[in-house]
Amino acid sequence: MGSISKMMKNDNKVGQLLGIARKSGQIALGSRETLTKVREGHCVLVIVAEDAGFRTKKMLTDKCTHYSVTFKIWGCSNELAKYLGKSRVSVVGINNKGMANKLLSLLNDN
């Protein structure tokens, strides 16, 4: 399988897992809610859209570094929104360790 085809397949799997995580209540949506969960120690992984604003990315990378939370930049806000059933989402926090590990393995394969 070609690398582009593999990336697209992984992106689709990431999106499906994000949708499952949302339905099961294992995520925080948006920068405000995600920051709260990071500070409380509930977030295991933070995913930020590539097209999120500079200040949002900076604030989240600083907080994730400070609280030792894994941080990934992936997709665009429209993609995240589509998978999560929202109109626009730039930041998602994953609260479940198993789900976060599965997402990380897919994101690291890209």
Side-chain angles (χ1 to χ4, degrees), residues 23-37:
K23 288 177 184 168
S24 61
Q26 299 174 2
I27 65 169
L29 286 175
S31 57
R32 197 173 285 150
E33 185 180 348
T34 300
L35 277 173
T36 300
K37 295 294 183 185

Side-chain angles (χ1 to χ4, degrees), residues 27-48:
I27 65 169
L29 286 175
S31 57
R32 197 173 285 150
E33 185 180 348
T34 300
L35 277 173
T36 300
K37 295 294 183 185
V38 166
R39 287 182 187 123
E40 293 172 351
H42 297 297
C43 245
V44 181
L45 169 66
V46 173
I47 299 173
V48 177

Side-chain angles (χ1 to χ4, degrees), residues 1-101:
M1 179 181 332
S3 63
I4 292 178
S5 177
K6 183 178 179 184
M7 269 184 14
M8 289 175 68
K9 188 174 181 182
N10 279 351
D11 285 354
N12 194 34
K13 286 182 182 179
V14 168
Q16 289 171 349
L17 281 175
L18 287 172
I20 291 167
R22 179 183 171 267
K23 288 177 184 168
S24 61
Q26 299 174 2
I27 65 169
L29 286 175
S31 57
R32 197 173 285 150
E33 185 180 348
T34 300
L35 277 173
T36 300
K37 295 294 183 185
V38 166
R39 287 182 187 123
E40 293 172 351
H42 297 297
C43 245
V44 181
L45 169 66
V46 173
I47 299 173
V48 177
E50 293 170 359
D51 59 348
F54 173 79
R55 291 175 60 185
T56 299
K57 287 180 187 175
K58 172 89 170 101
M59 177 178 52
L60 284 160
T61 54
D62 289 350
K63 289 297 178 192
C64 287
T65 301
H66 179 77
Y67 289 98
S68 301
V69 174
T70 305
F71 178 93
K72 287 287 186 180
I73 295 177
W74 177 81
C76 70
S77 56
N78 289 334
E79 278 180 295
L80 283 173
K82 177 182 80 171
Y83 290 123
L84 296 168
K86 297 290 181 183
S87 60
R88 185 170 166 95
V89 178
S90 295
V91 180
V92 179
I94 308 300
N95 305 328
N96 178 284
K97 190 170 187 145
M99 184 67 71
N101 288 337

